[in-house]
Amino acid sequence: MDHKFEWQEQRTTTPDGVYRTLRAAILNGTVRPGGQLREAHIASDLGISRSPLREALTKLEEEGLVVKYPYRGAFVVEVSAREVAEIDSVRLHIEPYAAELSAEALRGPERPQLLQTVEDLRRAMEEDDIPASIDAHLRFHGLFYELSGHGVLQSLWTGWETRLRLHLSVDHRTYSNDPQQLVVEHERLAAVALEGDADAFRRELAAHFPMGLGARKPNPGERAPRPA
């Protein structure tokens, strides 16, 4: 059965307002990976014309959250457990390096920015705001790549970010019994990053996605590894 779409904020028929509503539905798991976004259904639920809806879907496609197929429509992109495991196996080796390269900036003028991402993650988890928690989660890790000053590392993160975002839309809901667990994990990562201890950072990172260490193919029904 198709989900009934509802405005996530004060009703606005602008493409940006429609985009935010659909994006929230994707990231909070209302529309699962592989699910279809039916234009007629969404337009009817939200009381909008097809024009802003199509602009919103195009923006989601550009972001990598949606794929469009001729004569079939728009669907939420799917990410396999194997793909996430393979990304994690590479991240385990290069993210500590990115953290090491960014350590000087993080211990200096960018320190408040790193700590703010942890606080934003804490607030979002407490409020059970899945899209906001995913945004904060990825901003935290993206800072290491962004501040590394290393173009190749930055390009790698850009290529992975959407895939990880879609995986986290499922994974973040597994923290419902202990929403602060994810926050504590990232507090530890922030602490070792600020100390400039790449080996300690790698150990903390490995604890979050051990399946990525060997990039092995998960068994049928097995949950994908948790990106840190």
Side-chain angles (χ1 to χ4, degrees), residues 107-183:
R107 285 198 295 264
E110 303 300 340
R111 179 187 178 97
Q113 189 177 179
L114 180 67
L115 299 179
Q116 185 62 51
T117 62
V118 178
E119 183 56 34
D120 290 345
L121 179 60
R122 181 193 307 281
R123 185 182 307 109
M125 294 298 286
E126 288 174 349
E127 297 174 357
D128 195 27
D129 186 339
I130 298 296
S133 69
I134 293 171
D135 286 342
H137 190 159
L138 293 175
R139 279 200 308 273
F140 176 92
H141 290 278
L143 273 177
F144 301 124
Y145 298 83
E146 176 187 337
L147 299 175
S148 70
H150 196 298
V152 172
L153 291 178
Q154 292 163 353
S155 295
L156 286 170
W157 177 256
T158 299
W160 295 333
E161 189 172 9
T162 295
R163 319 304 291 177
L164 295 175
R165 189 180 298 279
L166 285 163
H167 173 66
L168 291 176
S169 70
V170 175
D171 188 76
H172 270 219
R173 292 194 296 279
T174 68
Y175 284 96
S176 58
N177 293 330
D178 185 8
Q180 290 307 304
Q181 179 188 346
L182 188 64
V183 179

Side-chain angles (χ1 to χ4, degrees), residues 10 44 76 85 108 143 223:
Q10 185 175 358
S44 175
V76 178
L143 273 177
R223 192 164 70 86

Side-chain angles (χ1 to χ4, degrees), residues 13-201:
T13 59
T14 65
D16 191 55
V18 179
Y19 158 79
R20 291 195 298 272
T21 295
L22 297 184
R23 185 177 188 269
I26 292 170
L27 295 182
N28 67 20
T30 299
V31 185
R32 297 296 185 113
Q36 185 171 8
L37 296 165
R38 304 177 190 276
E39 288 189 14
H41 177 74
I42 297 170
S44 175
D45 282 352
L46 298 181
I48 58 175
S49 69
R50 297 289 184 94
S51 179
L53 173 57
R54 286 172 178 164
E55 288 189 48
L57 288 171
T58 295
K59 188 172 181 180
L60 289 166
E61 183 180 30
E62 291 170 350
E63 191 177 351
L65 296 177
V66 164
V67 59
K68 294 179 183 176
Y69 296 106
Y71 310 111
R72 292 182 58 201
F75 295 80
V76 178
V77 170
E78 295 184 87
V79 181
S80 70
R82 181 183 181 87
E83 184 176 5
V84 174
E86 290 177 347
I87 290 172
D88 286 349
S89 70
V90 178
R91 285 180 63 196
L92 182 66
H93 294 285
I94 70 167
E95 194 159 313
Y97 179 49
E100 185 177 12
L101 292 177
S102 63
E104 183 177 351
L106 290 172
R107 285 198 295 264
E110 303 300 340
R111 179 187 178 97
Q113 189 177 179
L114 180 67
L115 299 179
Q116 185 62 51
T117 62
V118 178
E119 183 56 34
D120 290 345
L121 179 60
R122 181 193 307 281
R123 185 182 307 109
M125 294 298 286
E126 288 174 349
E127 297 174 357
D128 195 27
D129 186 339
I130 298 296
S133 69
I134 293 171
D135 286 342
H137 190 159
L138 293 175
R139 279 200 308 273
F140 176 92
H141 290 278
L143 273 177
F144 301 124
Y145 298 83
E146 176 187 337
L147 299 175
S148 70
H150 196 298
V152 172
L153 291 178
Q154 292 163 353
S155 295
L156 286 170
W157 177 256
T158 299
W160 295 333
E161 189 172 9
T162 295
R163 319 304 291 177
L164 295 175
R165 189 180 298 279
L166 285 163
H167 173 66
L168 291 176
S169 70
V170 175
D171 188 76
H172 270 219
R173 292 194 296 279
T174 68
Y175 284 96
S176 58
N177 293 330
D178 185 8
Q180 290 307 304
Q181 179 188 346
L182 188 64
V183 179
V184 171
E185 292 170 359
H186 284 77
E187 286 175 335
R188 291 200 297 262
L189 280 167
V192 295
L194 291 171
E195 291 169 3
D197 189 338
D199 289 337
F201 189 95

